[in-house]
Amino acid sequence: MMAKSVKTPPSPKAGTARLPNVGAGELQTLLDYVRYAVSCFQAAELVFAHGTTDPVAEAAFLVGEALHLRPEQFESFATARVTAAEGKTILDLIEARVTTRKPAAYLVNKIYMRGLPFYVDERVIVPRSFIGELLASHFGGSESEGTSLIDDPFAVENVLDLCTGSGCLAILASRHFPDAAIDAVDISKDALGVAARNVSDYGLEDRISLHQGDLFAPIKGRRYDLIITNPPYVDAEGMAALPAECHAEPKLAFDGGADGIDIIRRILAQARGHLTAEGGLLCEVGRDRPQIEAAYPDLPLLWLDTEDSEGEVFWITAADLG
């Protein structure tokens, strides 16, 4: 699950910022701590692209996790008072976020996708893929509105998740395609350790098989009704400009080569041989659409939008791959 290619200068180095002093009793409610965190995050010029998109959402996430509240529970307790011990835990998290520049998900070892919690640590990139939303909106789910690319989710028997990382997309796919067996591949043994934990947490060992290797190599001649992938796609310019937060994540999960589409080229070259006749490929590419369209002017890619993205994921059928 990749970050968007970043064109802005890196944030200040870790350890250069400090929090303002807070007197006893000055912060009382959850909202007080959220407001304080937002002020600290904005003063430190943090970057938000790791499951939250702005300082308010990130502050609420950290406060909620410190208090063992799920995101949907925050509003119910927003004006509740925080104990002294809880307040210290929250302030420690805020300070760690500012001083280390690590993504908030690493500080609490958790991220939410489509409302589901997943374990994450520095062995994997923090998931923030648009594919989870697209599975619900374009593949015959309850959110589909006449735009289904696969009409019957129950007809999908085999799914491949390339570059699975923490395994989040494979798990979301297992819930959306209830009769499908899923193979999840990653070149990183460390990443697959995190994926194995998430698969186990959801009790899906009998449906999701993890494979270590380079793209299609571990699954040899198998064919799938659906291939989903969120591969490395940051170009050389973007790699040089990654913010400090992204430097805490595995470089391998970002680097897409000089123009960002080295791995995407390999996926497009090999995908047809691993799809069933009626199958298709769903691929996230960040801001690399211009490079892909220039490299493949005759390929009929269908570009899909989400609530927070425009043309960052494409769909192509096996037939159109030729």
Side-chain angles (χ1 to χ4, degrees):
M1 296 87 187
M2 314 319 312
K4 297 178 182 179
S5 181
V6 179
K7 305 301 183 183
T8 54
S11 300
K13 294 181 180 179
T16 62
R18 290 293 181 268
L19 303 189
N21 292 327
V22 179
E26 288 187 281
L27 304 177
Q28 297 185 3
T29 69
L30 275 66
L31 284 178
D32 289 339
Y33 281 91
V34 168
R35 199 283 308 156
Y36 175 76
V38 169
S39 296
C40 294
F41 294 167
Q42 292 185 153
E45 299 181 353
L46 300 186
V47 172
F48 308 96
H50 300 81
T52 60
T53 57
D54 61 77
V56 176
E58 182 136 321
F61 169 70
L62 279 180
V63 171
E65 287 304 308
L67 302 178
H68 307 289
L69 298 174
R70 290 178 62 93
E72 65 271 17
Q73 295 175 311
F74 184 92
E75 186 174 353
S76 298
F77 296 97
T79 58
R81 293 172 65 94
V82 174
T83 69
E86 291 171 336
K88 184 180 185 307
T89 299
I90 295 170
L91 292 176
D92 286 347
L93 281 174
I94 295 170
E95 182 173 20
R97 179 66 179 93
V98 169
T99 59
T100 69
R101 300 278 165 168
K102 287 185 178 181
Y106 288 159
L107 300 178
V108 296
N109 296 122
K110 188 182 291 184
I111 193 72
Y112 290 88
M113 289 189 68
R114 305 297 295 167
L116 298 180
F118 296 97
Y119 175 87
V120 292
D121 61 32
E122 285 89 341
R123 291 175 292 173
V124 294
I125 193 171
V126 179
R128 56 267 203 181
S129 175
F130 300 121
I131 288 177
E133 179 182 338
L134 290 170
L135 291 178
S137 62
H138 285 71
F139 288 83
S142 58
E143 297 180 29
S144 296
E145 297 180 357
T147 55
S148 293
L149 300 172
I150 293 178
D151 290 331
D152 183 6
F154 290 91
V156 175
E157 297 180 352
N158 297 283
V159 175
L160 173 62
D161 177 19
L162 284 181
C163 309
T164 191
S166 58
C168 298
L169 290 181
I171 291 168
L172 291 175
S174 75
R175 296 169 69 90
H176 192 74
F177 304 108
D179 291 338
I182 298 166
D183 286 327
V185 175
D186 204 286
I187 198 170
S188 168
K189 181 180 179 181
D190 286 341
L192 289 174
V194 176
R197 174 168 177 166
N198 283 318
V199 169
S200 176
D201 285 348
Y202 281 93
L204 291 167
E205 296 94 333
D206 61 334
R207 292 189 55 206
I208 299 178
S209 300
L210 303 176
H211 307 269
Q212 183 184 1
D214 186 12
L215 296 182
F216 297 98
I219 49 93
K220 303 187 185 303
R222 299 180 208 174
R223 290 180 180 266
Y224 301 89
D225 300 312
L226 174 65
I227 298 173
I228 59 176
T229 182
N230 188 6
Y233 55 61
V234 180
D235 61 22
E237 182 182 355
M239 290 295 295
L242 287 174
E245 281 82 353
C246 292
H247 289 293
E249 301 176 276
K251 179 181 177 181
L252 181 68
F254 287 101
D255 194 351
D259 64 356
I261 65 171
D262 283 359
I263 296 172
I264 296 167
R265 286 188 182 93
R266 294 175 56 207
I267 291 171
L268 285 170
Q270 300 175 57
R272 179 64 185 90
H274 295 281
L275 285 168
T276 60
E278 302 299 321
L281 167 67
L282 188 66
C283 180
E284 187 161 337
V285 302
R287 298 174 182 171
D288 289 342
R289 177 174 178 174
Q291 296 93 298
I292 293 172
E293 291 183 325
Y296 300 94
D298 299 323
L299 208 57
L301 302 174
L302 175 63
W303 293 97
L304 304 175
D305 300 336
T306 69
E307 184 177 341
D308 296 312
S309 73
E310 183 175 343
E312 296 192 29
V313 182
F314 70 74
W315 164 260
I316 187 167
T317 66
D320 286 333
L321 278 167

